[in-house]
Amino acid sequence: MAAESSKTPPVPDADISDHYLAASTSSPADELHTAYAGGGAYVPPAEGETVAKELGDDGADENLMPYKAIPEYKVCGITLTRRRRICLYVCAAILVLILAVLVPLLVYVIGPKIAQSALNSSVLTLASTSITGATNNSFVLASTGTVTNAGFIDASISFDNPVTVYWVQDDGTNTQLGTLVLPDLSVGGSTPKSGTVTIPNNTFSITDVEAMGTFSQYLVTTDNFSWRLVGSAHAKALGLTFNSLSLDKTVTLGGFQGLKDVTIQYFNLPSSDPTTGIVLDTVTKLGNPSTITIDLGSLYFDTDFKGEQIGTIEGSNIILTPGDNYLNLTGSLKPIDSNATELLSELFTYFVGGESSPLTVITTNVIGSNGPVSWLQKGLIGVTLTVSLDSTAQKLVSNISIPSMSVVFDPSDTTGAKVLTSASVNANFKSPFDFSLSIEEVEQALNFLDSSSNVFATLNTPLSAATSDQAAGTLKTSFTNATLAMVTGQDSSYQEFFRSITLDSSYKVAIKGSVNTVANTAVGNVTINNVTLDDSITFSGFQGLSDVTVDSVTVQSGSSSGIQLAIGTTIQNPSTISIDFGTDVVMDLLYNGQNVGSVTLPKLALVPGANSVTASSVFDPTDDASVAQGRVLLSNFLAGSTSGVTIVGTGSSVPYTELQPAFDGLTISTSLPGQTTQIVASTSLAVSISSSTATTATGTAYLYINNPFEAPLGINHITADIRHNGALLGTIDEDFSASPLSVPAGSSNYQVGPVTASLTLGLDALDLVISALASADSTGSVQLNSTLITSVGGYTTTVDYAQTTTVLFS
């Protein structure tokens, strides 16, 4: 035991196991002991020393032994016993070992894989892209976009070298186009991380010009395309740099989709000359469905219509941006052959008529802002754009007037439903274009409309010469032998048209139809067809032919049907219309309201102004009333007196049924002048006083007859009153009916007689006899009121005749 007690226990390390407990120095010394597992002598603790005892697993003291004061070790308020300290040392060693293995593994193995995975899973989207400064070997590319789904750690990515850009074709083939420097980018924010991409006008170096040209062709026509970006990069995250990362991203961008959205906003043809043709100015809206902006420089196009080239256009400084682009394009229309000229005519026709015209614009060349670019030319030359040239209907012709017109009826068509017309036409003309244009020929298809807008007649004129003044806005033309035709079933409107023209001063007719024109231009003659016409024409009317003057009346012959007269007339036509009825016009002759005969205007044709027409007339009263008025009229005529007569049209005046309403309303008032040559030129009356009784006397009378007629004048019976100062002196009553007297046509002073005159010698007679015998020639003046029953040819009529004559007394 002594030997054992001489052992000095080791002083425990500061890192003591948790089997050791610290005891207070204030405990009694004999209670303080230290259990030492290995045995040994007991050493009482000195003053101030700490006595520890070792507790067994069951809590009992074991091998208590004293030791010198041991410092206390506490971590987070926990006293570390020796055993605990040993455990801690072991853990620390293991941790160092783990870190020594894990950190390199993280930095060189796990970290790069995480970075590569984040790079692989990220999605690169370019929202907008621009291509400018194109040359054969490069262009400047600027773009903005986003990176999304970029892992769970904030990081920055840098690219070691320019990335290689491949075009991913539809069959999956990757075709290298060139290289592009990508800027650094950063991702952050919420998980998954994201960031923005900005490519600030970096150079895209083309490595395969031929492939770039093929791609540019695809770019124009496709809805979208894909670029594959391949390169190397390094990333920084958590203070670490991860090198040798592989970039392999596919970016999908929208293509131009064939540039199908093309419309012409403005179209003008301001001028022309024979060298360049018709100058063309347009503003064309070109829709770009892609997000790509591209600087195309100058573009040149052929303009085709229905497969034929009709002109060229071009534009400069063209930068195609996403959305609508308004391109100022200029050029000329100059057809290359006659077929193209015909199609240009058709194009003008569509434009004027307000119809859409499908044009084809084919790219013939492109010159970039830095000069010709082969890959741009390959992509764009031959690109075909379809554009619609839209317009609204143009009113080229308006305010139509007809300074002169002729209407000719065909006697073989007794309906009058078709008439030949010729006319000169004036109108206002407004060219739809500003270039020099002269109308040289005009063809018209006109519809005449009634008050209910029904077409009652058509007029189709042949292609006729025309002149136009573009500055003054006038057009003049004329046509011949066009047919004005009634529309079947529209008789009443057609009849009203002619009735109004015949009776009224004017008649306005609504006109609809079309006009075809041949215009001379700098590129030759072009036709503009189907020009819409919606206007009205005011026709000047005949005003009922109210101004008719009878210049002469000649008795030509007579028959049982009446006396035939030739009446020289002047018919004033106040209209600008000439009319040729092609047949006789027969009208009734009225005197004091009674029909005394007829007037025939043979093959009546009237031109504007005065018309000399010799009418034939038949004097033939048929009933008592008309006979009485006819006797007055004929007596006035033979006596040289003027009589007012009325010429009245009837439904049978002309053979044309469509004109009957017009003539039914025709009434012409005029004056019938009397004969200037008196029928009884003079009368001689000889009275023998020696043979007279106190109250009666017998005289012998001779009549001297003028016959201005063209037919013999027969005298069948003469009765007459002989008066002086109104008082009846005597009578003559001589009947020649048994052997009528015949005065030859054209005779002057033809003697008829002697005839017996019976006088009653009253105071008036004595006064006459005394004054006559007192005169040097023994004559006196008496009034002879005769009634002659005459005949002209086979027509017999009674005529009253009054005349002053002389009587010889012996």
Side-chain angles (χ1 to χ4, degrees):
M1 288 296 294
E4 292 175 358
S5 63
S6 65
K7 293 179 180 180
T8 304
V11 178
D13 294 332
D15 296 320
I16 194 83
S17 170
D18 58 3
H19 288 279
Y20 294 90
L21 299 175
S24 173
T25 56
S26 61
S27 301
D30 56 351
E31 293 180 0
L32 296 173
H33 58 275
T34 303
Y36 182 60
Y42 171 73
V43 181
E47 186 177 353
E49 290 181 331
T50 302
V51 179
K53 61 180 178 179
E54 185 176 345
L55 302 179
D57 293 335
D58 56 359
D61 294 342
E62 295 181 3
N63 301 321
L64 296 177
M65 64 176 293
Y67 62 89
K68 291 184 179 182
I70 301 173
E72 281 188 329
Y73 293 92
K74 291 185 177 182
V75 176
C76 297
I78 300 174
T79 301
L80 298 178
T81 65
R82 180 173 178 271
R83 184 177 293 178
R84 288 175 178 171
R85 289 200 302 273
I86 291 171
C87 182
L88 184 60
Y89 290 154
V90 173
C91 289
I94 293 172
L95 178 61
V96 170
L97 181 61
I98 292 174
L99 289 177
V101 175
L102 185 60
V103 168
L105 186 63
L106 178 64
V107 172
Y108 297 107
V109 179
I110 299 175
K113 287 187 177 296
I114 293 174
Q116 185 66 59
S117 176
L119 186 58
N120 290 344
S121 64
S122 65
V123 177
L124 176 61
T125 303
L126 298 180
S128 65
T129 303
S130 70
I131 298 173
T132 59
T135 67
N136 282 328
N137 299 312
S138 67
F139 58 86
V140 176
L141 187 141
S143 186
T144 60
T146 59
V147 175
T148 58
N149 199 36
F152 54 87
I153 301 173
D154 291 357
S156 64
I157 303 172
S158 299
F159 301 93
D160 302 327
N161 297 298
V163 299
T164 302
V165 180
Y166 296 89
W167 166 34
V168 182
Q169 300 187 48
D170 293 339
D171 61 359
T173 301
N174 283 243
T175 301
Q176 183 176 337
L177 300 178
T179 61
L180 174 67
V181 175
L182 291 182
D184 296 347
L185 59 91
S186 298
V187 295
S190 60
T191 302
K193 303 299 181 179
S194 62
T196 60
V197 178
T198 301
I199 303 175
N201 294 322
N202 289 353
T203 299
F204 187 112
S205 298
I206 299 172
T207 56
D208 189 334
V209 175
E210 184 68 21
M212 191 67 190
T214 304
F215 165 72
S216 63
Q217 287 178 321
Y218 185 79
L219 170 64
V220 172
T221 59
T222 189
D223 289 353
N224 52 68
F225 66 92
S226 295
W227 274 356
R228 182 184 173 202
L229 310 180
V230 178
S232 62
H234 60 271
K236 292 182 179 181
L238 300 175
L240 300 175
T241 300
F242 303 100
N243 296 312
S244 301
L245 301 178
S246 296
L247 174 71
D248 192 342
K249 307 304 298 179
T250 299
V251 180
T252 299
L253 298 172
F256 294 128
Q257 301 180 20
L259 297 173
K260 300 174 183 177
D261 183 14
V262 186
T263 58
I264 295 176
Q265 303 291 304
Y266 170 77
F267 180 85
N268 189 28
L269 304 174
S271 60
S272 64
D273 66 65
T275 302
T276 61
I278 301 171
V279 175
L280 169 64
D281 284 343
T282 71
V283 175
T284 300
K285 180 174 76 69
L286 178 60
N288 175 9
S290 173
T291 58
I292 297 175
T293 296
I294 184 168
D295 182 358
L296 298 175
S298 297
L299 293 176
Y300 301 83
F301 305 92
D302 282 346
T303 303
D304 289 11
F305 179 58
K306 293 189 175 181
E308 290 282 349
Q309 182 183 339
I310 59 173
T312 60
I313 55 172
E314 62 186 68
S316 59
N317 300 319
I318 295 176
I319 299 176
L320 198 61
T321 60
D324 291 339
N325 296 263
Y326 293 88
L327 311 181
N328 294 313
L329 303 178
T330 61
S332 64
L333 296 177
K334 192 172 184 180
I336 59 176
D337 54 33
S338 59
N339 289 337
T341 301
E342 290 180 5
L343 287 173
L344 181 61
S345 298
E346 190 173 340
L347 176 67
F348 285 167
T349 295
Y350 288 164
F351 185 82
V352 171
E355 298 183 40
S356 297
S357 304
L359 298 179
T360 302
V361 180
I362 304 170
T363 310
T364 57
N365 199 6
V366 54
I367 299 178
S369 300
N370 296 321
V373 180
S374 60
W375 56 269
L376 267 181
Q377 290 175 330
K378 183 176 180 180
L380 292 174
I381 290 177
V383 170
T384 300
L385 307 178
T386 300
V387 59
S388 177
L389 177 59
D390 300 325
S391 71
T392 56
Q394 311 278 322
K395 190 172 184 179
L396 269 64
V397 179
S398 61
N399 295 332
I400 299 174
S401 63
I402 299 182
S404 63
M405 180 178 182
S406 69
V407 176
V408 179
F409 286 84
D410 180 6
S412 64
D413 175 17
T414 56
T415 66
K418 293 183 178 180
V419 294
L420 288 179
T421 61
S422 302
S424 62
V425 179
N426 293 344
N428 290 349
F429 169 70
K430 176 176 172 47
S431 172
F433 312 111
D434 293 334
F435 71 89
S436 178
L437 178 150
S438 175
I439 302 297
E440 294 189 343
E441 291 181 289
V442 171
E443 182 181 38
Q444 304 169 79
L446 307 180
N447 293 324
F448 288 38
L449 278 65
D450 61 18
S451 57
S452 300
S453 298
N454 296 317
V455 178
F456 68 85
T458 60
L459 176 62
N460 297 315
T461 70
L463 192 64
S464 307
T467 59
S468 65
D469 186 329
Q470 191 170 2
T474 59
L475 172 66
K476 295 182 179 181
T477 186
S478 60
F479 60 86
T480 58
N481 297 329
T483 300
L484 176 66
M486 183 189 77
V487 174
T488 302
Q490 296 296 321
D491 300 72
S492 60
S493 296
Y494 187 76
Q495 292 170 1
E496 176 61 21
F497 170 71
F498 277 106
R499 191 201 70 81
S500 297
I501 289 178
T502 302
L503 302 180
D504 299 336
S505 60
S506 64
Y507 187 65
K508 187 175 183 178
V509 179
I511 299 292
K512 285 189 176 182
S514 61
V515 177
N516 298 335
T517 64
V518 177
N520 181 265
T521 71
V523 297
N525 283 351
V526 297
T527 59
I528 305 175
N529 294 328
N530 300 320
V531 176
T532 301
L533 186 63
D534 188 352
D535 204 47
S536 61
I537 299 177
T538 299
F539 295 91
S540 60
F542 296 107
Q543 301 181 27
L545 298 175
S546 57
D547 188 357
V548 176
T549 302
V550 177
D551 302 314
S552 64
V553 179
T554 300
V555 177
Q556 293 180 310
S557 62
S559 67
S560 59
S561 60
I563 298 174
Q564 282 73 46
L565 308 175
I567 303 176
T569 65
T570 299
I571 301 176
Q572 295 290 340
N573 177 8
S575 173
T576 59
I577 300 174
S578 298
I579 189 166
D580 184 351
F581 293 96
T583 186
D584 295 347
V585 176
V586 180
M587 306 175 72
D588 289 343
L589 178 65
L590 273 64
Y591 180 69
N592 288 337
Q594 296 298 317
N595 189 337
V596 295
S598 63
V599 175
T600 299
L601 303 172
K603 297 190 180 303
L604 182 61
L606 300 176
V607 299
N611 295 264
S612 294
V613 178
T614 299
S616 63
S617 177
V618 176
F619 178 80
D620 182 27
T622 57
D623 55 31
D624 293 343
S626 62
V627 166
Q629 294 301 320
R631 177 175 177 176
V632 174
L633 176 62
L634 189 57
S635 298
N636 291 342
F637 169 71
L638 296 177
S641 298
T642 298
S643 301
V645 295
T646 304
I647 301 172
V648 178
T650 68
S652 58
S653 291
V654 289
Y656 311 115
T657 55
E658 302 301 336
L659 285 185
Q660 290 174 357
F663 277 91
D664 264 337
L666 185 62
T667 300
I668 303 172
S669 297
T670 187
S671 297
L672 186 71
Q675 283 279 5
T676 56
T677 300
Q678 293 185 342
I679 294 296
V680 180
S682 62
T683 302
S684 65
L685 177 60
V687 178
S688 174
I689 300 300
S690 59
S691 62
S692 299
T693 66
T695 58
T696 62
T698 300
T700 302
Y702 291 89
L703 280 70
Y704 298 91
I705 305 297
N706 293 324
N707 182 5
F709 304 158
E710 294 179 354
L713 175 63
I715 300 177
N716 298 337
H717 196 163
I718 299 176
T719 60
D721 291 341
I722 303 172
R723 294 181 179 273
H724 176 65
N725 293 333
L728 180 63
L729 298 182
T731 60
I732 296 175
D733 187 352
E734 194 76 30
D735 186 1
F736 302 104
S737 58
S739 179
L741 299 177
S742 179
V743 182
S747 298
S748 297
N749 293 314
Y750 185 85
Q751 180 176 291
V752 175
V755 296
T756 301
S758 300
L759 280 74
T760 300
L761 297 179
L763 293 177
D764 293 316
L766 292 175
D767 178 62
L768 173 61
V769 171
I770 294 171
S771 61
L773 293 176
S775 65
D777 55 2
S778 299
T779 61
S781 177
V782 295
Q783 185 72 28
L784 192 65
N785 298 321
S786 305
T787 297
L788 305 177
I789 298 177
T790 64
S791 61
V792 178
Y795 187 83
T796 301
T797 185
T798 301
V799 177
D800 296 316
Y801 193 84
Q803 186 178 31
T804 299
T805 186
T806 59
V807 58
L808 173 65
F809 292 95
S810 59

